[in-house]
Amino acid sequence: VIGFITFGKYLEERARSKTNDALRALLSIQVRTAVVERNGQELEVPLDDVVPGDKVLVRPGSKIPVDGVVVSGQSYVDESMLTGEPSPVSKALGASVTGGTINQDGRLIVEARAVGKDSVLAHIIDLIKAAQNSRAPIQKLADQIAAVFVPVVLVIAALTLGGWLLIGPHYIPFAQALGLGISGFVGVLVIACPCALGLATPTALIVGIGKGARHGILIKNAEALQKLSHVTDIIFDKTGTITVGKPKVVQFIPTPNMEEDKAIALAASLEQASEHPLARAITAFAHERRLSMQLVENFASHKGKGATGVIDGQPYFIGSDRYIAEVASVGVTHDASNLTPVILAKQGALLGTFLVGDEIKPTARAAITELHRYGIKTHMATGDQEGAANSVAKEVGIDAVHARLMPEDKQNLVRALKKDGALVAVAGDGVNDAPALAAADVGIAMSTGTDVAIETADVILLSGDIGKLAQSYRLSRQTLTTIKQNLFWAFGFNVLGIPLAAGLFSPWGLTLNPAFAGAAMAFSSVLVVSNSLRLKWGKL
């Protein structure tokens, strides 16, 4: 018995060791040393000695040791270990790079911004470890079964021994009945050991979460992975989620008697302190025209609305048409069709309108179409005006559009859907999405988004690829299906094996020796772990 159980445990441990290949792969790409420029010399130093601000030399074919910004050189970088994307990414002056990625063909000098435990790779590894150690709600079912199953098995084992001693001697010699009773008692205890039941959920979660990481999907906890498989409605933000998030000014329409360059410079001066994508589009538009920025006093940003500031003693306002109508007391009319209007005004006077457009992400339509195939209803919740929102929604096939929403309105939309019985996921990338992400059953953030959105979310899509959302849903379904299969086989194996081990089929010559019961118990554990490993090879 001990020999078979020990051999079974050996096989089980070998199989289990393969469940964490993804985490080991991430750990293996951590660099131990870096070449830095100090006092005019290139020195190879331990990574722990590198500090933010150091200039790190990265040769072709080498791993980038730190998170930082390219200050010299040009190359292509393989980021597939972090994002799951096979295509190398062009890096030039000012581009951000991540530690652990591979510099392919050019010499780069990178200014270190984050090293060691502060790096993106270290943060990802910590997230995966935490997620793999978390518990899914379905694991509570396994615990509840085990809590009842173990005492029941002890009772069955005792009844097996008692039954053979009390009933057996009427049909066979007492010595033989005693032997069969002891053999059945031990066999029941051995084959009913709930090891496989305990392995059913965690092994599948470890493999599933690791597989997600290999494909650029970071799942923060097991509960989110399970909930994602039951989602009925998904709410998308527009800018930065469905669209690329790099809007451009398509046209500027100044009001009569307003000098165009002066109006653009005023708008850009107001927007230069804002992190909103529309604000960056306007400042970029001004830089293209080589216009000078002006000093802004008393700047204030109003989430989802716009911004105000004082320039040369005059208050100016910039933002949505409703916001401008409210704060500047002017009527705003426009025909923006599929473009987003950003209005510049001062008190009582309209100064001009920026019409801003944004490119739709190439994977957005395919992702929405696939979610529809699973029966999921899709929504767009945006602060943008109806024309631009409806145009984007129509192009990608989103079911329902909710435009002109403030952050609290997005949160209320989530609550309303949940109140109607929906299980809601929210996908967003901005500060204004954080309340909705927190209120959702599952929050999904783009890694290209703001820190507050990433911290609030349960799932992070690396590289900001919305196509990975459909992959996340498939992964959650595959993982949950595997867990259910594991629980079925683990519990079913024990239920079938107990009567055989107890000797109920001995009149027909079917018995289970305790040694083989030990082998069967170990085999059930190996079967469960092997089934979990199948997740690694399935298409995502």
Side-chain angles (χ1 to χ4, degrees), residues 226-284:
Q226 179 174 334
K227 283 184 176 180
L228 188 56
S229 67
H230 299 300
V231 161
T232 60
D233 293 66
I234 297 181
I235 299 172
F236 295 90
D237 172 45
K238 182 175 78 71
T239 305
T241 304
I242 295 294
T243 64
V244 173
K246 295 181 179 178
K248 294 182 179 180
V249 175
V250 176
Q251 184 182 7
F252 175 65
I253 307 170
T255 53
N257 304 320
M258 183 65 198
E259 184 184 339
E260 184 172 332
D261 282 352
K262 181 181 178 181
I264 294 170
L266 286 169
S269 299
L270 283 173
E271 297 283 42
Q272 64 183 336
S274 174
E275 290 297 318
H276 196 281
L278 296 179
R280 291 197 293 268
I282 291 170
T283 55

Side-chain angles (χ1 to χ4, degrees), residues 366-388:
I368 301 299
T369 300
E370 185 162 358
L371 292 171
H372 284 159
R373 284 204 299 268
Y374 290 119
I376 296 173
K377 185 175 181 181
T378 55
H379 306 253
M380 179 189 288
T382 177
D384 210 344
Q385 55 93 30
E386 289 89 345

Side-chain angles (χ1 to χ4, degrees), residues 425-484:
V426 172
D429 74 323
V431 173
N432 58 337
D433 299 315
L437 288 168
D441 294 293
V442 183
I444 302 165
M446 309 295 117
S447 67
T448 50
T450 60
D451 289 344
V452 66
I454 291 170
E455 289 299 321
T456 308
D458 304 298
V459 179
I460 303 168
L461 305 183
L462 296 178
S463 75
D465 183 3
I466 194 65
K468 293 186 185 299
L469 198 152
Q471 288 186 323
S472 304
Y473 181 75
R474 283 201 301 273
L475 176 64
S476 67
R477 289 186 58 163
Q478 290 172 6
T479 304
L480 197 65
T481 298
T482 301
I483 290 172
K484 290 177 179 178

Side-chain angles (χ1 to χ4, degrees), residues 26-256:
L26 286 174
L27 289 167
S28 71
I29 66 175
Q30 290 182 306
V31 183
R32 304 300 175 192
T33 61
V35 177
V36 299
E37 291 183 354
R38 288 180 181 168
N39 301 322
Q41 293 183 319
E42 294 180 0
L43 303 174
E44 185 170 354
V45 299
L47 190 62
D48 291 342
D49 292 345
V50 179
V51 296
D54 274 344
K55 302 297 189 296
V56 180
L57 170 65
V58 188
R59 297 185 177 92
S62 300
K63 291 178 181 176
I64 297 173
V66 297
D67 296 356
V69 175
V70 176
V71 294
S72 177
Q74 184 173 357
S75 183
Y76 282 87
V77 174
D78 179 0
E79 298 182 334
S80 58
M81 279 301 297
L82 293 176
T83 65
E85 298 297 329
S87 302
V89 180
S90 176
K91 300 291 182 181
L93 183 67
S96 297
V97 293
T98 305
T101 55
I102 301 173
N103 178 29
Q104 290 198 329
D105 55 8
R107 184 179 186 271
L108 295 176
I109 296 178
V110 176
E111 181 179 315
R113 296 288 174 89
V115 296
K117 293 181 179 179
D118 297 326
S119 68
V120 169
L121 180 58
H123 187 52
I124 289 172
I125 290 170
D126 288 342
L127 280 177
I128 294 171
K129 286 180 178 178
Q132 291 180 337
N133 288 325
S134 63
R135 295 169 64 84
I138 197 171
Q139 197 161 347
K140 294 177 182 177
L141 174 62
D143 293 342
Q144 290 168 353
I145 292 172
V148 175
F149 185 70
V150 171
V152 167
V153 166
L154 292 175
V155 171
I156 292 173
L159 291 175
T160 298
L161 178 59
W164 279 107
L165 292 179
L166 294 174
I167 301 172
H170 293 289
Y171 303 97
I172 57 176
F174 178 80
Q176 186 180 355
L178 177 62
L180 289 171
I182 293 173
S183 176
F185 176 79
V186 174
V188 168
L189 291 178
V190 170
I191 199 168
C193 178
C195 296
L197 206 58
L199 292 168
T201 302
T203 54
L205 288 174
I206 288 171
V207 176
I209 290 168
K211 183 176 181 177
R214 287 200 308 274
H215 285 80
I217 302 164
L218 291 185
I219 299 160
K220 289 186 179 180
N221 58 74
E223 184 175 1
L225 183 63
Q226 179 174 334
K227 283 184 176 180
L228 188 56
S229 67
H230 299 300
V231 161
T232 60
D233 293 66
I234 297 181
I235 299 172
F236 295 90
D237 172 45
K238 182 175 78 71
T239 305
T241 304
I242 295 294
T243 64
V244 173
K246 295 181 179 178
K248 294 182 179 180
V249 175
V250 176
Q251 184 182 7
F252 175 65
I253 307 170
T255 53

Side-chain angles (χ1 to χ4, degrees), residues 9-29:
K9 286 291 181 184
Y10 166 73
L11 294 176
E12 177 190 318
E13 287 302 319
R14 283 200 60 180
R16 285 184 69 182
S17 69
K18 296 178 182 178
T19 62
N20 238 336
D21 285 350
L23 187 56
R24 276 194 295 274
L26 286 174
L27 289 167
S28 71
I29 66 175

